[in-house]
Amino acid sequence: MTAAQSIFSDRSHYRRGQRMELADILRPYWKDAPFRDEQRRNMYGVSSEDFRVVDKLEEAGIAVLPMTWNYYLKRGEMAQALAFIQSARRAGRPILSYVGGDEGVAVPSGCEDVYVVRASGFKSRQRERQVAQPVFFEDPARTHGDLTTHDRPANAPERPLVGFCGQASARVLKSAWDVSRGWVRNTAHGLGARLEEPQPLYPPGLLRAQAMRALEKSPLVETRFIVRSRYRAGNASAERTSREFYENMAGADYTLCLRGGGNFSKRFYETLAMARIPALVDTDCLLPFEPILPWDAIIVRAPAAQLDSLPQRIADHFTSAGLAGLAGRKRQCRKIWEDWLSFAGFHRQLAQWICRKSS
């Protein structure tokens, strides 16, 4: 077992009922009842051979702060977190930590040497040791395996097919409501009444609607959109809406991906897992392992301020691949998700990357 696979943490920080705040890398190994390897593999795709949680800091390659920064900040237990970090520093071990939530919280100053994993965040504000975290979910190859083919539909046009199934709204009242809620949250943060970091005052639903409009009016692409007025169509069956979501994705070459409440897109990772190509509207997004992964050679990416360029970018990507090469690019997307962005793949790569950086 390599140094990257041996991790140390302090279980005394963990509280029953606070599992959602537990550092992700520890989830397959800590819970209120013992884990069996079969459970680990089914839930997380890892086994006891992937990582070993050791009892002594000196035996570990990485020290993992047990709970998220959100947990310590909200409960006024920063002294406990900082004491753990100081112990790891004295032992000369790299320190891994996590930020939870859609919006995230700011890591305290003086922790610049700590590696921080968070789903939310902005590329222009990236800390030196910050890593973007993928959104984790059950592999669609297990739940919707019949849809994960690389082939285009038999009646597919010679233009690129772009899909989207989800919430979007160009309504003025809805947009005004979203902006107002954002202003209230940002003001509360500024007054010290809210820990979550402020977000741009722009409604994601409106930006999605504008991106779809740019695609629908273009002769360069063909669109297959299912627009919801509410998340998961309100109270509709989760099983039915999930099936429709993945069917829409499977019937396209590209999927429109755009941020939600936080500055990241779960749909982006679901698209890769479904062996489809994300068409990302870039809102200063930080992608995992950038620039290690050559994202611009894998996906289509257009700045949010240049939505009109999105159809041309998709068409250029499609033409450069050709129909024969498109299937290969889709397979590449799935492979990247498996090796780098699934729960198991991400944490294997993350631990190895930290150990290389710290050696």
Side-chain angles (χ1 to χ4, degrees):
M1 184 169 284
T2 67
Q5 293 173 283
S6 298
I7 57 179
F8 170 83
S9 198
D10 186 344
R11 189 155 184 163
S12 69
H13 292 216
Y14 178 59
R15 298 289 181 270
R16 184 183 292 268
Q18 298 296 329
R19 184 171 173 79
M20 290 300 295
E21 302 285 2
L22 181 64
D24 274 352
I25 200 170
L26 297 173
R27 287 175 185 254
Y29 304 98
W30 287 4
K31 71 183 185 82
D32 297 333
F35 255 133
R36 299 191 308 274
D37 252 10
E38 181 182 3
Q39 291 175 307
R40 291 192 184 100
R41 284 191 292 269
N42 288 338
M43 294 177 66
Y44 299 101
V46 301
S47 70
S48 56
E49 297 178 358
D50 283 281
F51 293 100
R52 180 166 60 98
V53 184
V54 298
D55 296 327
K56 296 180 180 178
L57 182 55
E58 294 73 21
E59 297 175 356
I62 299 172
V64 180
L65 187 64
M67 311 298 280
T68 65
W69 285 106
N70 313 58
Y71 175 89
Y72 297 109
L73 287 164
K74 288 178 180 178
R75 288 163 180 76
E77 297 185 9
M78 282 301 302
Q80 188 180 41
L82 296 176
F84 178 91
I85 289 170
Q86 289 289 8
S87 296
R89 285 172 176 158
R90 287 193 294 269
R93 296 299 185 269
I95 306 153
L96 172 61
S97 69
Y98 291 77
V99 168
D102 282 0
E103 297 163 58
V105 295
V107 175
S109 60
C111 295
E112 287 74 20
D113 60 330
V114 177
Y115 290 93
V116 177
V117 176
R118 58 180 291 176
S120 57
F122 298 86
K123 188 174 182 179
S124 61
R125 307 178 204 167
Q126 181 183 6
R127 294 164 47 98
E128 183 181 351
R129 298 195 174 191
Q130 180 181 339
V131 182
Q133 179 174 355
V135 180
F136 303 123
F137 45 84
E138 189 170 4
D139 185 352
R142 294 180 59 181
T143 57
H144 299 86
D146 58 315
L147 299 177
T148 53
T149 174
H150 310 111
D151 299 330
R152 303 186 85 216
N155 60 344
E158 294 185 2
R159 295 180 297 167
L161 287 162
V162 185
F164 177 86
C165 176
Q167 186 180 17
S169 176
R171 291 180 299 164
V172 174
L173 288 178
K174 176 66 168 64
S175 299
W177 172 248
D178 289 341
V179 169
S180 298
R181 286 197 306 167
W183 182 85
V184 169
R185 289 195 296 264
N186 291 353
T187 301
H189 175 86
L191 294 173
R194 194 170 190 268
L195 289 171
E196 287 77 10
E197 292 186 317
Q199 299 292 309
L201 294 178
Y202 200 98
L206 177 58
L207 189 57
R208 288 178 188 156
Q210 291 174 338
M212 285 190 285
R213 188 160 55 245
L215 291 165
E216 286 176 321
K217 70 180 184 181
S218 172
L220 298 173
V221 301
E222 180 158 324
T223 59
R224 296 185 177 178
F225 296 155
I226 301 175
V227 181
R228 313 281 197 200
S229 60
R230 300 170 63 189
Y231 177 71
R232 279 194 177 273
N235 296 321
S237 162
E239 182 178 352
R240 177 175 65 79
T241 55
S242 178
R243 180 72 184 183
E244 290 173 352
F245 176 86
Y246 282 120
E247 283 179 342
N248 176 268
M249 197 172 285
D253 303 309
Y254 302 83
T255 298
L256 177 63
C257 301
L258 201 148
R259 65 162 289 171
N263 195 37
F264 63 94
S265 166
K266 180 183 179 183
R267 188 188 316 269
F268 177 86
Y269 303 104
E270 291 168 319
T271 301
L272 293 166
M274 280 287 290
R276 295 298 181 270
I277 302 165
L280 176 67
V281 174
D282 190 352
T283 51
D284 194 18
C285 298
L286 177 63
L287 298 181
F289 298 113
E290 192 170 17
I292 299 171
L293 289 175
W295 282 114
D296 286 325
I298 299 165
I299 67 170
V300 177
R301 177 158 50 177
Q306 300 175 23
L307 287 180
D308 287 343
S309 73
L310 187 57
Q312 185 67 62
R313 291 170 189 259
I314 294 172
D316 290 345
H317 187 276
F318 181 81
T319 302
S320 67
L323 292 179
L326 196 64
R329 292 194 178 186
K330 291 176 180 178
R331 284 192 293 270
Q332 181 190 29
C333 287
R334 170 70 189 185
K335 181 68 172 169
I336 286 170
W337 179 81
E338 290 175 341
D339 293 348
W340 292 83
L341 305 173
S342 65
F343 184 95
F346 175 76
H347 285 101
R348 291 185 193 113
Q349 299 287 355
L350 175 67
Q352 292 169 11
W353 178 76
I354 290 174
C355 284
R356 285 196 302 268
K357 294 266 290 184
S358 304
S359 60

